[in-house]
């Protein structure tokens, strides 16, 4: 397939080799919405002005998934990034997974648990980790191990995995203090324009707020039950 989007990489990293989502819902949904906004920011289509997301260039990117989101943002009133996370998240996992299945990176398997509960899994066609997922992992690990500058897309992916808590799963074999310090260093680095970095920082914060709120609500529901 063509160059992977951040949405594709996040899904591949979130699903284990058995094809099961280990990040959980709605964390994956919110993370994917954040990934779409990060892609639009990196493409120079949006930025944050006065605390609200603004379209700076409405020209299509040529990627249907991104152009759909761009048109949605452009056609609505200015909103804070956190307000867009929930709106853009709807249906995103299915669209991203469908794209990876169509490209042959994953396959769809549907069955029933205990012959009653429907389940859909998305393993790779070979049963092993897809090469493009391995490449994403290696790119992030190299960035964490290094001390120099990081390219914008890798920095954005690391920022995204941190926002949804996936970094604790991906880098559990690395010293946690080292990972935390390096991620902070990367976030502060000079790898994108000021406007793009601002949009990415605001998006990371928005995803973190959304996932934290979802986790808190889930705990409260469990406690009440």
């Amino acid at each position: 397939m063509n160059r992977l989007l951040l949405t594709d990489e996040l899904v591949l990293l979130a699903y284990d080799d058995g094809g099961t989502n280990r990040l959980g819902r709605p964390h994956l949904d919110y993370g994917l919405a954040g990934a779409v906004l990060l892609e639009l920011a990196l493409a120079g289509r949006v930025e944050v002005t006065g605390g609200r997301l603004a379209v700076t260039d409405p020209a299509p990117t040529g990627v249907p998934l991104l152009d759909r989101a761009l048109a949605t943002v452009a056609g609505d009133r200015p909103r804070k990034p956190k307000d867009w996370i929930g709106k853009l998240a709807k249906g995103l996992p299915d669209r991203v997974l469908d794209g990876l299945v169509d490209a042959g990176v994953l396959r769809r398997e549907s069955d029933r648990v205990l012959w009653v509960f429907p389940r859909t899994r998305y393993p790779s066609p070979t049963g092993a980790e897809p090469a493009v997922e391995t490449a994403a992992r290696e790119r992030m690990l190299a960035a964490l191990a290094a001390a120099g500058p990081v390219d914008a897309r890798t920095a954005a992916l690391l920022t995204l995995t941190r926002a949804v808590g996936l970094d604790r799963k991906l880098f559990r074999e690395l010293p946690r203090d080292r990972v935390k310090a390096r991620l902070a260093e990367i976030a502060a680095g000079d790898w994108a324009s000021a406007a793009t970095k601002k949009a990415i920082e605001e998006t990371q914060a928005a995803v973190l707020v959304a996932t934290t709120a979802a986790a808190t609500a889930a705990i409260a529901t469990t406690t009440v039950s």
Side-chain angles (χ1 to χ4, degrees):
M1 65 185 300
N2 296 328
R3 175 178 64 84
L4 290 184
L5 298 176
L6 294 174
T7 49
D8 298 319
E9 292 180 322
L10 182 62
V11 162
L12 291 173
L13 293 168
Y15 274 72
D16 63 24
D17 290 343
T20 300
N21 175 12
R22 57 182 177 164
L23 183 57
R25 309 282 296 271
H27 286 61
L28 178 60
D29 309 57
Y30 295 152
L32 290 174
V36 168
L37 292 182
L38 294 186
E39 286 282 7
L40 292 176
L42 290 172
R45 298 303 197 274
V46 300
E47 63 180 41
V48 176
T49 304
R52 299 183 183 278
L53 194 71
V55 173
T56 54
D57 181 359
T61 65
V63 180
L65 188 77
L66 302 183
D67 291 340
R68 176 174 177 168
L70 181 61
T72 299
V73 175
D76 205 335
R77 62 182 174 82
R79 298 175 183 271
K80 295 179 179 179
K82 69 180 181 64
D83 296 328
W84 280 114
I85 296 300
K87 288 182 175 296
L88 296 177
K90 297 176 181 177
L92 258 182
D94 289 339
R95 292 199 294 275
V96 176
L97 285 163
D98 286 347
L100 289 169
V101 169
D102 291 344
V105 178
L106 298 177
R107 73 176 188 272
R108 184 183 292 104
E109 290 185 353
S110 297
D111 58 13
R112 290 182 180 273
V113 179
L114 300 177
W115 299 281
V116 176
F117 306 103
R119 174 180 65 177
T120 302
R121 295 182 296 155
Y122 294 89
S124 74
T126 63
E129 180 174 285
V132 287
E133 178 183 347
T134 300
R137 287 178 184 276
E138 291 177 348
R139 200 170 84 241
M140 290 190 292
L141 287 170
L144 291 174
V150 177
D151 69 275
R153 296 191 64 79
T154 300
L157 183 58
L158 283 166
T159 295
L160 187 62
T161 58
R162 184 182 187 185
V164 297
L166 191 56
D167 59 316
R168 294 189 292 274
K169 299 179 184 295
L170 296 176
F171 314 126
R172 58 180 178 273
E173 296 180 2
L174 300 179
R176 190 162 183 175
D177 289 346
R178 164 61 182 166
V179 172
K180 184 177 179 179
R182 179 58 174 153
L183 286 174
E185 181 181 301
I186 290 172
D190 185 19
W191 44 267
S193 68
T196 299
K197 282 192 65 178
K198 176 66 174 175
I200 289 174
E201 288 167 2
E202 292 281 351
T203 299
Q204 178 191 22
V207 172
L208 184 59
V209 167
T211 53
T212 300
T216 300
I219 292 173
T221 300
T222 301
T223 301
V224 171
S225 300

